[in-house]
Amino acid sequence: MTTILVTGGAGFIGSHTVIELVKAGYEPIIFDNFSNAKPAVLARIHKICGKRVPCCFGDIRVRQQLETVFKENKIDGVIHFAGLKAVGESVKKPLEYYDNNVNGSRVLLEVMRDYKCSNFIFSSSATVYGEPDKVPLTEDSPVKRANSPYGQTKIDIEYMAEELQRAIPEFSVTLLRYFNPVGAHESGLIGEDPRGIPNNLMPYLTQVAVGKLPILNIFGNDYPTKDGTCIRDYIHVVDLALGHVAAIKHCLNQGGVHIYNLGTGIGYSVLDMVNAFSKAIGRELPHQFAPRRAGDVVQCYADPSKAARELNWKAVRTLEDMTRDSYNWQKNNPNGYDD
Ligand code: NAD
Ligand code: UDP
């Protein structure tokens, strides 16, 4: 039995990963302070897996709360999702982001070291590449100073984990750099439940589609791309979750630092996304062009071949799957987990 502590396991990507871990025969334990999740997700996970997944209410910054879990369980590895993730908010509250993300990760790594748990899998982001000089991005593309405190916390945590690995050679650090996670579980029971008006494209699109928001503003149509709108690598959250299972299989107890891009390798423009969504709902999704959003990179998509080669993992779900599942989740749960 391999027990995996999943910090932030009640959140969007964490909840989908917990399900795939159970399906693959692992024993996940969720650790979450519910600052950006609702307890209702736990019953939905139970329904999908047919099994109750243990959940500890706790904050990664509080050593004693983490220690309780490590004392009571033999934790083989940690998948570390817990963190704050809103780019705009991080600009307004940088210290809160450094405290929650960097300090929280430091406490977690400290407890892992002290309890001899040597497998750390971290939710990093393509944001560490900044404005790319060239696409697709490989794991060797340069990491650049981030243009938001959020992005900088990802870089800082990557370095901190790598430094610890240097000090403890048997420590295994896996840095998974996600591109743009979207979609939802095909059951329509779990999905992304943003607080307030969404910042990200996909939840905004779904809320326009169900009439919760009137119109999508497309930020910029004068970028040097095929249709003037920005390009991203959207990846279905279930494919992403399966990427974590593949990473555990490959990296557990291997020692060293392992870095993987988790993306599809396909770049879609904002207009491609609007068109795909319009197709999914059978009518044109209301949209208009608006000024560029500060800090947006023009194009960002992965070369995912290292993960294919070494982890035997590939994203297989299509844009059609992503839009259908996102829409299905939004339709079934117009107010997220509050319904
Ligand atoms: P999410 O907000 O849905 O999940 C994060 C979870 O962590 C939430 O359940 C929240 O309650 C919990 N949490 C936050 N601070 C905590 C703390 N101090 N102690 C314990 N729990 C805490 O976000 P998500 O989209 O599932 O993202 C998961 C991770 O992946 C984050 O680290 C995020 O930065 C990273 N990531 C996300 C994206 C994306 O677009 N969603 C892209 C790249 C990387
Ligand atoms: N975007 C948009 N309107 C929105 C939200 C996002 O046009 O309401 C665009 C945004 O400018 C970017 C793309 O959609 O080009 C993806 O944005 P998101 O915030 O989802 O991801 P990120 O920029 O962090 O990759």
Side-chain angles (χ1 to χ4, degrees):
M1 185 176 87
T2 307
T3 303
I4 307 292
L5 184 68
V6 186
T7 73
F12 171 46
I13 307 170
S15 57
H16 289 82
T17 302
V18 162
I19 286 164
E20 298 309 323
L21 285 169
V22 171
K23 272 167 71 179
Y26 293 96
E27 298 278 338
I29 299 177
I30 296 171
F31 183 92
D32 204 298
N33 68 356
F34 291 89
S35 58
N36 196 34
K38 308 257 173 64
V41 71
L42 301 173
R44 309 276 184 104
I45 292 174
H46 183 184
K47 197 163 175 187
I48 295 169
C49 303
K51 179 182 163 157
R52 201 175 294 280
V53 174
C55 176
C56 307
F57 180 92
D59 193 304
I60 51 166
R61 289 166 296 180
V62 184
R63 185 183 160 102
Q64 179 229 326
Q65 292 177 351
L66 277 171
E67 273 198 83
T68 306
V69 187
F70 279 81
K71 271 187 195 138
E72 289 174 0
N73 304 275
K74 189 193 158 296
I75 307 291
D76 297 293
V78 176
I79 306 184
H80 178 35
F81 293 105
L84 301 176
K85 63 163 183 176
V87 176
E89 184 185 63
S90 79
V91 175
K92 293 192 191 103
K93 298 180 173 175
L95 297 183
E96 283 82 349
Y97 271 66
Y98 279 97
D99 179 41
N100 200 81
N101 295 5
V102 181
N103 181 38
S105 301
R106 183 190 60 76
V107 176
L108 173 64
L109 286 168
E110 207 175 271
V111 174
M112 288 179 68
R113 179 198 60 195
D114 295 350
Y115 284 77
K116 308 226 170 333
C117 171
S118 55
N119 292 293
F120 180 70
I121 295 177
F122 175 57
S123 293
S124 191
S125 166
T127 189
V128 302
Y129 298 120
E131 176 83 56
D133 301 321
K134 128 168 165 243
V135 279
L137 286 151
T138 69
E139 290 78 357
D140 294 327
S141 300
V143 167
K144 294 186 184 157
R145 196 197 149 81
N147 55 9
S148 74
Y150 165 74
Q152 194 58 43
T153 67
K154 291 293 174 200
I155 296 175
D156 291 354
I157 298 164
E158 284 200 0
Y159 283 149
M160 180 164 53
E162 288 185 84
E163 299 293 5
L164 181 62
Q165 197 285 323
R166 248 196 287 276
I168 310 175
E170 63 273 24
F171 209 78
S172 177
V173 167
T174 307
L175 308 174
L176 301 179
R177 294 178 178 157
Y178 311 157
F179 282 68
N180 287 59
V182 298
H185 193 262
E186 62 178 11
S187 63
L189 285 169
I190 62 169
E192 191 171 6
D193 184 14
R195 278 175 299 170
I197 296 179
N199 296 307
N200 296 113
L201 179 63
M202 190 56 116
Y204 205 105
L205 276 171
T206 59
Q207 295 202 9
V208 172
V210 297
K212 259 187 103 171
L213 290 169
I215 190 163
L216 172 77
N217 287 306
I218 297 180
F219 300 138
N221 64 341
D222 57 352
Y223 285 101
T225 60
K226 59 175 183 176
D227 59 22
T229 66
C230 292
I231 308 264
R232 295 288 182 276
D233 184 338
Y234 298 92
I235 173 169
H236 196 294
V237 65
V238 173
D239 279 332
L240 189 61
L242 288 166
H244 292 74
V245 176
I248 287 193
K249 278 190 189 140
H250 180 77
C251 304
L252 209 69
N253 302 326
Q254 294 305 302
V257 175
H258 313 265
I259 305 180
Y260 297 103
N261 284 341
L262 297 186
T264 64
I266 305 169
Y268 287 114
S269 72
V270 180
L271 275 174
D272 287 334
M273 299 303 284
V274 171
N275 292 336
F277 223 92
S278 301
K279 209 167 141 203
I281 61 176
R283 64 189 156 83
E284 184 164 90
L285 191 105
H287 61 277
Q288 64 191 9
F289 294 114
R292 290 181 176 196
R293 181 173 74 175
D296 271 342
V297 303
V298 181
Q299 52 176 344
C300 174
Y301 57 94
D303 174 344
S305 57
K306 186 180 176 203
R309 220 170 34 244
E310 295 187 7
L311 302 181
N312 199 20
W313 168 90
K314 227 175 146 192
V316 294
R317 288 165 179 78
T318 62
L319 182 56
E320 205 181 342
D321 299 328
M322 301 180 211
T323 49
R324 182 200 57 230
D325 293 339
S326 290
Y327 184 49
N328 188 34
W329 153 254
Q330 180 71 60
K331 244 184 349 191
N332 291 346
N333 307 271
N335 299 311
Y337 289 108
D338 281 344
D339 297 313

